[in-house]
């Protein structure tokens, strides 16, 4: 408590990691209780039982705390999602497996994520579309590539580079709908997810038909326009 | 300048309307120059050359200024859009006509709208999906109903109640892409608009085929799930 941030006890290994985690946990508690806007770094330090200087030593700002929250979520979610995929076969089943892991993991912080969803401008470092979030985003797009690959669905070559990113966008849309969903137990999101997952899986299966090549051309052309050369919006270029 | 807000000169008719407009204009100038967050009501009053009390007399908060901006935009845009529609025949041409009017009208405030786009939570009164914005949203959905009706496209009965709202969502998506578009003269948005307008128009034409009834059923079912009984998200229930 109140240790100088530069003391050896906070800068060395496990102890340091514990303090960092404690501050992050305290921040999440406060964000959930009071909202992201009103909570100050001072409140967070107090809640964590550390000196203000120590809090700033680990996190330069509230934004840094949010980034840490996303990074930890990504780190913890990745193995859970891969594990869920090992038990799921069909594409629809695999999509459900991944999304259910995400919904369950994020449930305690749904309100916080609603507040954070204000950051959608790709120029905001906290936006899921920012260049700062690119590493996390690319790995997440990779998760959807594996969701596709493990299923038996034959994906046509022209769509292959696009589909994982489209699935990622679909999953972002679901999450956004979910954070704003005020129905009991987010029932509306669950209905939407039920119905849309089978539609999405069927569309992907249909998309492989050779006759649909012209339609695929129109679609990939449109996607290239959306992503442009920047590829800042939504994953691997 | 600095008149008491309750004096007869500000509360009566034309003069009052002029003062209100001057404050709104001053606010928009400041929002553009400094961003929505940093500008205060005090700055706005100073920029408008009125007393702080007068500014508060007309607008209870910065949010009230934003609402006034949206309302005025809606009021001024409606006749421009209807006028543009009288010269456009085909569905694609009509979509282009409406969107071009909107892009042109909002161009000076594109940066401000990027800042305001943070308000997407339907519970935020400034959100385009809020119940507070419902009147404006419904009238806007009506504009897209007329965009459809005036074209020669035959819309199937089952889709009829849904299409105007879908077109409205498409237009919201375009506007959102546009406010974040950092390419010179928003070229990327213009390309996206070029390509997607013809796709959207063709999809709507295709959707009328009697054989596609099962597909329409799936789509309208999904839309009903998204809108739920609340109809808070995106227009007329």
């Amino acid at each position: 408590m109140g240790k100088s941030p530069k003391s050896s006890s906070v800068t060395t290994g496990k102890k340091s990691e514990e303090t960092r985690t404690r501050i992050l946990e305290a921040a999440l508690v406060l964000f959930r209780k009071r909202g992201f806007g009103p909570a100050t770094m001072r409140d967070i330090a107090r809640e964590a039982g550390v000196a203000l200087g120590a809090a700033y030593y680990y996190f330069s700002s509230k934004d840094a705390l949010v980034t840490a929250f996303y990074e930890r979520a990504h780190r913890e979610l990745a193995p859970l999602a891969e594990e869920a995929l090992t038990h799921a076969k069909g594409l629809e089943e695999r999509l459900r497996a991944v999304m259910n892991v995400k919904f369950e993991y994020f449930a305690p912080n749904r309100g916080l994520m609603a507040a954070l969803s204000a950051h959608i401008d790709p120029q905001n470092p906290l936006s899921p579309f920012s260049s700062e979030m690119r590493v996390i985003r690319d790995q997440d797009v990779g998760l959807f590539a594996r969701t596709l690959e493990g299923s038996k669905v034959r994906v046509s070559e022209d769509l292959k580079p696009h589909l994982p990113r489209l699935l990622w966008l679909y999953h972002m849309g679901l999450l956004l709908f979910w954070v704003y969903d005020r129905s009991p137990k987010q029932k509306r999101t669950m209905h939407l997810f039920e119905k849309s997952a089978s539609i999405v899986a069927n569309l992907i299966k249909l998309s492989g038909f050779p006759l649909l090549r012209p339609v695929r051309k129109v679609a990939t052309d449109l996607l290239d326009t959306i992503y442009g050369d920047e590829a800042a919006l939504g994953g691997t270029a």
Side-chain angles (χ1 to χ4, degrees), chain A:
Chain A
M1 307 263 183
K3 283 199 182 85
S4 153
K6 302 275 169 182
S7 78
S8 64
S9 67
V10 288
T11 49
T12 50
K14 203 174 155 226
K15 175 90 195 196
S16 165
E17 199 48 44
E18 274 171 21
T19 312
R20 194 175 184 277
T21 302
R22 197 161 78 236
I23 299 169
L24 178 55
E25 287 297 342
L28 292 176
V29 165
L30 281 181
F31 292 161
R32 285 197 288 260
K33 227 182 336 191
R34 297 191 206 161
F36 177 67
T40 66
M41 283 299 276
R42 191 173 294 275
D43 300 332
I44 293 164
R46 191 177 303 127
E47 175 83 22
V50 301
L52 182 59
Y56 274 115
Y57 173 82
Y58 289 100
F59 300 100
S60 59
S61 64
K62 285 200 292 179
D63 281 7
L65 279 156
V66 173
T67 306
F69 164 64
Y70 281 142
E71 282 168 358
R72 187 176 73 175
H74 177 71
R75 209 167 51 236
E76 293 179 349
L77 267 170
L80 296 175
E82 303 289 350
E83 158 72 16
L85 280 179
T86 61
H87 304 296
K89 292 226 168 70
L91 178 56
E92 189 182 334
E93 200 192 340
R94 291 170 73 78
L95 276 176
R96 287 182 199 285
V98 169
M99 284 313 297
N100 283 331
V101 164
K102 293 219 171 196
F103 284 135
E104 201 179 319
Y105 180 90
F106 283 125
N109 292 301
R110 203 176 60 91
L112 169 63
M113 290 170 79
L116 295 177
S117 71
H119 307 121
I120 44 173
D121 186 339
Q123 298 238 325
N124 186 316
L126 298 183
S127 164
F129 304 102
S130 71
S131 51
E132 285 83 353
M133 288 288 174
R134 175 138 186 192
V135 173
I136 289 184
R137 187 171 61 236
D138 283 357
Q139 289 176 5
D140 228 17
V141 170
L143 173 64
F144 287 101
R146 287 188 293 287
T147 303
L148 265 172
E149 281 156 20
S151 77
K152 298 253 160 80
V153 176
R154 200 198 138 270
V155 174
S156 65
E157 285 305 313
D158 44 0
L159 278 188
K160 213 168 245 170
H162 294 282
L163 274 186
R165 199 155 54 177
L166 273 182
L167 281 178
W168 181 83
L169 278 176
Y170 162 65
H171 124 277
M172 288 298 291
L174 280 175
L175 283 179
L176 194 65
F177 194 86
W178 177 73
V179 301
Y180 296 145
D181 184 355
R182 267 86 180 187
S183 65
K185 292 187 183 170
Q186 291 70 57
K187 235 180 168 175
R188 286 177 65 202
T189 308
M190 295 310 134
H191 282 162
L192 175 63
F193 176 41
E194 277 298 310
K195 291 180 182 178
S196 61
S198 88
I199 295 175
V200 166
N202 283 325
L203 276 178
I204 291 176
K205 282 177 209 164
L206 266 177
S207 73
F209 281 100
L211 269 175
L212 288 178
R213 191 175 183 82
V215 179
R216 291 197 296 273
K217 180 80 186 71
V218 169
T220 54
D221 201 34
L222 193 67
L223 289 169
D224 286 336
T225 309
I226 291 175
Y227 291 110
D229 354 288
E230 305 179 28
L233 198 84
T236 50

